[in-house]
């Protein structure tokens, strides 16, 4: 393991020099290494340099070649983070040195992973980029509880939205989103929303009823996953009472009722399983 060091050049990104280096943005999925795609696994194994996000599990990084250089470039809200511009410089420098660079990102690179910014930066420097998708935590989290994100009777669509606004940005218009979710029967999947849950709850209640089902899933897909099922009117209170924190996804909508049905099905199947053994 190694820590990032400051690039010697502080000027603008130099153009790609055709040294044979390449860059791939790889989605590591929600954390469980068995949820990696085969394509992602092959890319990790072939990398000579891996720039690894904070939320990527050690079990996934363990698939890297023993000779690969691993650089941790964590970015988490409320914690000391590696500046995005610095990460992009590291990527470009490694490619120009002829390395096979994998930018290993939790979940999917193009869902709140700043993958779009990194691709734009590299392409502007003449570096072609390959992107390998990963399972996003919003999908894996509710699926792990046995419920879908869409359902013909309960949700005609799903919205992935961040609860963490960029500095200087007004952020999500939760009141407008609540009205749209109600009228269009949409499931809301909120990333990075725990710290702002009180505001999110208050503003969503302007368009959604207080009894709207909500699931909060922390550490989706990992062995230490925790979750709570509650209602929109009790969102902040439940987070506080259960001691839930980041990284968590918050799922709002009638599809969450499927968690209770999955639990009931499991309970009914249990006696049959015991008889079979």
């Amino acid at each position: 393991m190694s820590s990032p060091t400051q690039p010697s050049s502080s000027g603008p990104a130099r153009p790609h020099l055709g040294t044979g280096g390449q860059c791939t943005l790889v989605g590591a999925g929600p954390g469980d290494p068995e949820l990696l795609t085969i394509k992602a696994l092959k890319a990790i194994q072939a990398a000579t340099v891996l720039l690894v996000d904070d939320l990527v599990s050690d079990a996934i990084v363990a698939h890297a070649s023993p000779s690969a250089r691993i650089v941790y470039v964590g970015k988490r809200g409320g914690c000391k983070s590696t500046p995005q511009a610095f990460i992009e410089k590291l990527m470009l420098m490694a490619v120009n040195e002829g390395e096979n660079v994998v930018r290993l990102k939790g979940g999917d690179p193009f869902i709140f992973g700043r993958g779009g910014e990194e691709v734009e930066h590299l392409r502007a420097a003449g570096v072609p980029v390959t992107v390998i998708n990963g399972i996003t935590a919003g999908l894996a989290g509710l699926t792990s509880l046995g419920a879908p994100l869409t359902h013909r009777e309960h949700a005609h669509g799903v919205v992935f939205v961040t609860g963490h606004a960029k500095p200087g940005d007004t952020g999500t218009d939760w009141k407008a989103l609540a009205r749209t979710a109600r009228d269009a029967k949409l499931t809301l999947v909120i990333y990075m929303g725990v710290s702002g849950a009180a505001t999110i709850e208050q503003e969503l209640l302007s368009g959604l009823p207080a009894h709207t089902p909500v699931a909060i899933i922390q550490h989706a897909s990992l062995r230490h996953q925790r979750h709570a099922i509650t209602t929109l009117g009790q969102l902040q209170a439940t987070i506080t009472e259960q001691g839930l924190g980041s990284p968590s996804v918050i799922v709002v909508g009638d599809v969450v009722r499927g968690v209770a049905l999955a639990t009931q099905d499991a309970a009914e199947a249990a006696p049959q399983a015991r008889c079979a053994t």
Side-chain angles (χ1 to χ4, degrees), residues 58-81:
D58 292 340
I60 289 174
V61 178
H63 286 296
S65 168
S67 62
R69 180 159 57 97
I70 300 172
V71 183
Y72 289 92
V73 287
K75 297 186 73 64
R76 291 183 66 178
C79 302
K80 185 177 180 180
S81 299

Side-chain angles (χ1 to χ4, degrees), residues 22 24 26 33 36-50 52 59-70 100-104 132:
Q22 58 183 327
T24 306
V26 175
L36 280 173
T37 65
I38 295 174
K39 193 170 185 178
L41 177 61
K42 289 179 177 179
I44 293 168
Q45 292 172 333
T48 59
V49 174
L50 289 95
V52 182
I60 289 174
V61 178
H63 286 296
S65 168
S67 62
R69 180 159 57 97
I70 300 172
N100 181 359
V101 180
V102 162
R103 176 75 171 99
L104 192 54
I132 299 175

Side-chain angles (χ1 to χ4, degrees), residues 75-91:
K75 297 186 73 64
R76 291 183 66 178
C79 302
K80 185 177 180 180
S81 299
T82 307
Q84 183 65 27
F86 179 62
I87 295 172
E88 292 166 359
K89 285 184 179 181
L90 285 175
M91 295 167 71

